Amino acid sequence: MKAAVIGGGPAGCAAAYTLRKRGWDVVLVESQDHVGGRTSQVQRDGFSLGSGALFLMGGIYPRTNAILKEMGHYDELIPWDARTHVIDADGTRYTVQFDQVLSFLRIPAMSLRDKLRVAAGVARKLLSPGPKLCFDGAELARHDGGESLETWSRRVIGDKGTDYITVPYMGFLYAVPMSWLSPALFHAVLKQFFRLSLSVPPKGMGQICDWLVEASPGLDLRLSSPAERIVRTDGGYTVHAQGQALHVDAVVVAPEPGVAADLLTGLIPESSATKLRECLYSEYAHVQVCYEQNPWPGFPASVALPANMERDWGACVLLSQRHPSAVPPGGEAVGVYFYTPPLANMTDEEIVKSALEAVREVYPPAPEPSFVQLFHYERGLSIAHPGHYGTLDSLHAEMPEGICLAGDYFAHAGVEAAIFSGELAADRLTGARQAG
Ligand SMILES: Cc1cc2nc3c(=O)[nH]c(=O)nc-3n(C[C@H](O)[C@H](O)[C@H](O)COP(=O)(O)OP(=O)(O)OC[C@H]3O[C@@H](n4cnc5c(N)ncnc54)[C@H](O)[C@@H]3O)c2cc1C
């Protein structure tokens, strides 16, 4: 049997890897000249700049961990001790550990009563039914009651718990207002808070896709080959990509959902295409402010998160502390990650200016940076609003035989969501799992 996989991000690479493991012939077509998608690294003047993803999240990424173990790379992950400053509106800083949600309870701006409210809310959620996997769309759909994270969090852990825990936490992960999000993921994270830890592959997050390709001997990888059309042919499909016609028995479609909808025109009902096209994506920008000489060696926290949404940015990260090979020896880079809403009214110049102001606010005075690199995406992160998971999950059963969708958008943006969906698509095609 032969499959085409369209898209070489973590979802497509995981699908190709799993299909090869099950003995299928696989051709992977990727529009860029490299695999990795939104986890890719960009090399500039000795810096390895992450264009998107920053870290893996330990025990809440079970399928990613299992595949990394299977490929023999799990032990190479570099743990990241994400010591964090939560910065209040007046500039006061509180030190916590991003991977230890309960360390946020040390924040003195929360009274004993606030802390008891948080502890009681977390305990109730630990004991109540809730999603067991953080990035399985079907599982999240079962626990998505239509409420927003904003109202859920204020109800479950109170106003102070929301301002000092939910907002900085989910703001760093998704950079959108809490009212845009379903609570299902945060609920799942609270249920598994003791499994959280952060790590990065030695060459950055982009290395995960390189490893998946390397571990798929015989994979026919076609880079710089955007898929243009999928046509049903006798007993299978033909994928047209960059002037080539690839005849296959089955297709995994793993680019972003709007592209998937275009490629599947004529093969799926218009109502299914609409679900894909209406999948919400946030605008996203981050700026990497790079220094050949580290102005702040030994700075006591690698992450800074605002406790509220009054600033434009949602996180500042010292990248050498996260992942040493991100910078040349002795260098430093600050990643400044922006909230989505202000971006609608900001030019690229204003985003860069605001990033430099954030660096001046968070760190001691420093000389001019060596250079500044802006990454700005019109469609950066898929966002799961209330009702999202159920709508998207229903798509699996609406695909024609031999076509499977994969991509992080079935859950929340995240490498685990992508890898989970890619593996699932391959399992469905090979009959290892049933659709629906
Ligand atoms: C700024 C930022 C920070 C992030 N931080 C984290 C993090 O810390 N941890 C984490 O786990 N996740 C993080 N993420 C999310 C993570 O990067 C995504 O969840 C993941 O990359 C999604 O994988 P995917 O394969 O579904 O999609 P993508 O990575 O987008 O891959 C899709 C691929 O399809 C290709 N493609 C598109 N159209 C075609 C076509 N017509 N033909 C062929 N190929 C095509 C694209 O070029 C791309 O390579 C972050 C994302 C961003 C943007």
Side-chain angles (χ1 to χ4, degrees):
M1 297 290 276
K2 180 167 182 174
V5 176
I6 300 174
C13 289
Y17 166 82
T18 309
L19 286 165
R20 282 298 301 138
K21 207 167 63 177
R22 307 220 188 293
W24 280 44
D25 290 328
V26 182
V27 53
L28 170 58
V29 296
E30 163 55 50
S31 56
Q32 303 291 311
D33 62 0
H34 55 268
V35 293
R38 283 170 286 146
T39 64
S40 308
Q41 306 293 134
V42 173
Q43 309 300 326
R44 180 169 170 190
D45 297 350
F47 289 79
S48 175
L49 307 174
S51 65
L54 279 162
F55 48 79
L56 298 172
M57 296 181 75
I60 70 166
Y61 276 30
R63 290 316 308 158
T64 308
N65 294 340
I67 287 182
L68 289 174
K69 280 182 189 154
E70 207 170 76
M71 297 191 298
H73 292 302
Y74 182 76
D75 292 338
E76 293 170 44
L77 296 180
I78 300 174
W80 178 27
D81 165 27
R83 185 180 279 253
T84 299
H85 283 168
V86 173
I87 305 185
D88 223 331
D90 64 2
T92 311
R93 291 171 190 234
Y94 314 108
T95 304
V96 297
Q97 283 290 127
F98 187 74
D99 57 346
Q100 294 169 21
V101 179
L102 293 187
S103 71
F104 284 66
L105 284 177
R106 291 201 295 257
I107 293 179
M110 284 190 276
S111 66
L112 181 61
R113 193 188 157 96
D114 298 325
K115 291 175 185 177
L116 288 172
R117 173 96 196 262
V118 173
V122 172
R124 266 201 317 277
K125 285 298 145 192
L126 274 173
L127 298 172
S128 68
K132 290 187 191 66
L133 291 170
C134 296
F135 294 96
D136 171 353
E139 169 80 359
L140 293 167
R142 281 192 281 279
H143 298 279
D144 178 11
E147 190 178 7
S148 80
L149 176 59
E150 173 87 38
T151 58
W152 184 90
S153 178
R154 293 197 185 278
R155 181 167 61 72
V156 173
I157 62 171
D159 287 341
K160 285 287 174 71
T162 300
D163 292 345
Y164 289 97
I165 302 176
T166 317
V167 167
Y169 207 86
M170 293 299 276
F172 185 22
L173 294 184
Y174 295 106
V176 295
M178 303 301 99
S179 57
W180 294 18
L181 298 172
S182 153
L185 172 68
F186 194 63
H187 186 180
V189 170
L190 285 184
K191 280 186 90 67
Q192 305 198 35
F193 69 87
F194 49 89
R195 294 213 169 100
L196 263 174
S197 61
L198 306 186
S199 64
V200 189
K203 291 190 181 162
M205 293 293 280
Q207 197 170 15
I208 296 169
C209 284
D210 295 335
W211 280 337
L212 286 164
V213 169
E214 278 162 30
S216 307
L219 173 68
D220 180 357
L221 174 62
R222 312 231 180 150
L223 298 173
S224 307
S225 300
E228 289 134 13
R229 226 156 28 102
I230 308 171
V231 182
R232 196 188 277 277
T233 43
D234 271 355
Y237 297 92
T238 300
V239 175
H240 295 270
Q242 199 69 2
Q244 304 158 63
L246 307 163
H247 305 292
V248 292
D249 300 294
V251 187
V252 176
V253 185
E256 60 121 320
V259 176
D262 291 345
L263 289 171
L264 290 167
T265 301
L267 294 172
I268 60 173
E270 197 41 46
S271 55
S272 306
T274 302
K275 288 183 194 173
L276 286 166
R277 290 205 176 93
E278 287 182 351
C279 181
L280 183 65
Y281 265 72
S282 68
E283 186 173 353
Y284 204 103
H286 62 104
V287 176
Q288 311 228 348
V289 184
C290 300
Y291 300 86
E292 267 163 37
Q293 282 300 317
N294 186 350
W296 317 287
F299 192 78
S302 54
V303 185
L305 304 176
N308 47 60
M309 286 191 61
E310 284 168 19
R311 294 172 178 85
D312 291 341
W313 54 276
C316 283
V317 179
L318 286 180
L319 296 173
S320 77
Q321 294 194 20
R322 177 196 61 124
H323 164 220
S325 73
V327 300
E332 184 54 284
V334 188
V336 183
Y337 297 82
F338 280 80
Y339 270 117
T340 290
L343 293 175
N345 301 316
M346 291 170 86
T347 62
D348 283 356
E349 291 71 34
E350 285 166 344
I351 294 169
V352 169
K353 188 165 165 263
S354 177
L356 294 170
E357 278 164 15
V359 171
R360 280 194 289 275
E361 179 190 349
V362 174
Y363 305 103
E368 284 296 297
S370 312
F371 67 89
V372 170
Q373 172 91 35
L374 166 71
F375 295 91
H376 191 176
Y377 305 93
E378 227 172 272
R379 289 165 74 76
L381 293 175
S382 59
I383 295 297
H385 54 84
H388 166 95
Y389 312 109
T391 306
L392 272 286
D393 193 54
S394 63
L395 277 169
H396 294 304
E398 296 166 16
M399 292 299 112
E401 200 182 340
I403 299 267
C404 280
L405 293 167
D408 63 350
Y409 56 90
F410 285 101
H412 265 275
V415 167
E416 173 71 5
I419 286 188
F420 182 95
S421 74
E423 205 182 25
L424 189 63
D427 281 352
R428 281 174 170 151
L429 281 187
T430 56
R433 260 186 273 195
Q434 294 301 307

